[in-house]
Structure formats: structure tokens, C-alpha cells
């Protein structure tokens, strides 16, 4: 700590202070003694909060993107289309059948289903998520945003489609 203060004292008064990047400060997480810095990496998207641009000329934005109602509708329709592809239906059904046959314990079966199906669905939706600025790790955030819009929509059509996606994730494709 002393060498740092000496280095600051030795800097000429005319030296400009180091530039601080725009955006929120890094978050800190406590882990035993001291704390660990969790980096706050910007996510690039068209609706940026920070004014400066990244090397690709797009505005920087902190955190996952925010969908509009129309984007949520479109994403939901595209998700259903992907789940209904024959190869995806087969993969989901096969996985569900294997897991259901592997254990009698309902809790263990549920954990295994979610452990297998969530990454599978995320993989199926990866390019769709990227279309809207989401990373694969943000799939749950995207789903929560879509669900919020579905609950707000007056007709109930989006909510029915959302429930259909949930059923597909459980391996239920109807008759």
C-alpha cells in the first residue's frame, strides 16, 4: 500500500487522471476473507445505455437486453417453431423417455429432466437468443421477460404459447 501512495505522490500535478470507463462499477462478492471483484462486462446490443461505441460501432450496454412486446411475441413464435421441428421433438422425447425409465423417485426424475432438458433447449435456442442480443447464459432472463409480456397481454394468446413451450420442455407435444 505504501508503494502505491508513493507512486501517486511522485506523479506530476499536471498529469491527467486515468480515464474511468462509463457504466456501473464492478460488483463485489464476499467470499470468506476479503472480496472478489465480479467483472461488469458490457453486452453489445442496439439499445445501449452507455454512449460510447464498441469496436464494431454498436453502442455498449450493461446487462442483458430488454425485449419489446413485439420482440417477445416474435421470439415466442420462433421458439415454438424450433421445438416443433421433427429432429428436436425426437431428441426431447427420447431424453424424457430415458430419464423417466431410469428412476422411480419423482424428485430425482425432475432434477434429471431439468438438468438434461434446459441445456438442450438452450442449445436449440442459441441462435434465436443471439438475434435479440442475448447470450446463451441469459436464456432464463429472456424467458422471464417473455413471460412478463405474456401475462400483461390481454388476449391470453401469448400466455397460451408460453405454456405450450413449457409443455414441450417437459416432452409433452400433445397427441
Amino acid at each position: 500500500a505504501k508503494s502505491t501512495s508513493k507512486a501517486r505522490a511522485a506523479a506530476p500535478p499536471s498529469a491527467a487522471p486515468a480515464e474511468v470507463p462509463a457504466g456501473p462499477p464492478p460488483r463485489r462478492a464476499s467470499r470468506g476473507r476479503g472480496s472478489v471483484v465480479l467483472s461488469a462486462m458490457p453486452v453489445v446490443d442496439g439499445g445501449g445505455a452507455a454512449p460510447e461505441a464498441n469496436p464494431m460501432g454498436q453502442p455498449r450496454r450493461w446487462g442483458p437486453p430488454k425485449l419489446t412486446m413485439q420482440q417477445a411475441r416474435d421470439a415466442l413464435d420462433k421458439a415454438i417453431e424450433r421445438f416443433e421441428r421433427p429432429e428436436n421433438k425426437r431428441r426431447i422425447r427420447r431424453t424424457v423417455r430415458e430419464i423417466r425409465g431410469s428412476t422411480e423417485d419423482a424428485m430425482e426424475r425432475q432434477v434429471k429432466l431439468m438438468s438434461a432438458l434446459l441445456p438442450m433447449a438452450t442449445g436449440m435456442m442459441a441462435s434465436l437468443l443471439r438475434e435479440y442480443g442475448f447470450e446463451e447464459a441469459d436464456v432464463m432472463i429472456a424467458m422471464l421477460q417473455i413471460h412478463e409480456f405474456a401475462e400483461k397481454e390481454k388476449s391470453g394468446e401469448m400466455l397460451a404459447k408460453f405454456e405450450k413451450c413449457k409443455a414441450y420442455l417437459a416432452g409433452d407435444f400433445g397427441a
Side-chain angles (χ1 to χ4, degrees):
K2 286 186 179 183
S3 62
T4 308
S5 60
K6 285 182 184 179
R8 283 189 201 144
S14 62
E19 218 173 285
V20 177
R27 297 176 300 156
R28 293 192 172 274
S30 180
R31 185 185 271 192
R33 293 182 175 163
S35 62
V36 176
V37 175
L38 302 174
S39 69
M41 296 297 295
V43 177
V44 179
D45 188 10
E52 79 275 1
N54 69 10
M56 297 178 72
Q58 297 172 317
R60 290 183 190 223
R61 195 186 54 67
W62 297 91
K66 303 270 189 242
L67 294 173
T68 64
M69 174 69 90
Q70 189 58 50
Q71 287 174 325
R73 272 192 195 103
D74 294 344
L76 196 52
D77 288 338
K78 290 176 183 178
I80 289 172
E81 181 270 322
R82 288 183 187 206
F83 280 129
E84 290 178 344
R85 290 179 184 168
E87 65 273 14
N88 290 339
K89 276 184 172 182
R90 279 191 297 275
R91 281 181 61 203
I92 292 171
R93 282 183 172 152
R94 183 179 58 240
T95 302
V96 169
R97 195 172 35 251
E98 288 170 2
I99 291 171
R100 285 185 178 157
S102 71
T103 183
E104 293 294 318
D105 182 20
M107 184 63 81
E108 182 182 350
R109 188 172 48 244
Q110 189 64 30
V111 169
K112 284 183 175 183
L113 281 170
M114 292 315 305
S115 297
L117 293 175
L118 190 57
M120 185 184 297
T122 301
M124 291 175 190
M125 301 298 148
S127 63
L128 174 61
L129 292 170
R130 282 192 292 277
E131 285 180 34
Y132 296 98
F134 288 92
E135 298 294 323
E136 276 190 51
D138 296 330
V139 68
M140 294 308 293
I141 294 169
M143 291 304 291
L144 286 171
Q145 287 184 30
I146 292 169
H147 187 253
E148 285 178 26
F149 281 118
E151 286 185 325
K152 290 177 185 176
E153 187 200 38
K154 304 235 185 291
S155 73
E157 182 182 341
M158 274 184 76
L159 195 55
K161 288 179 180 180
F162 188 85
E163 293 301 321
K164 189 176 192 178
C165 279
K166 281 177 43 180
Y168 288 170
L169 266 175
D172 180 9
F173 289 93

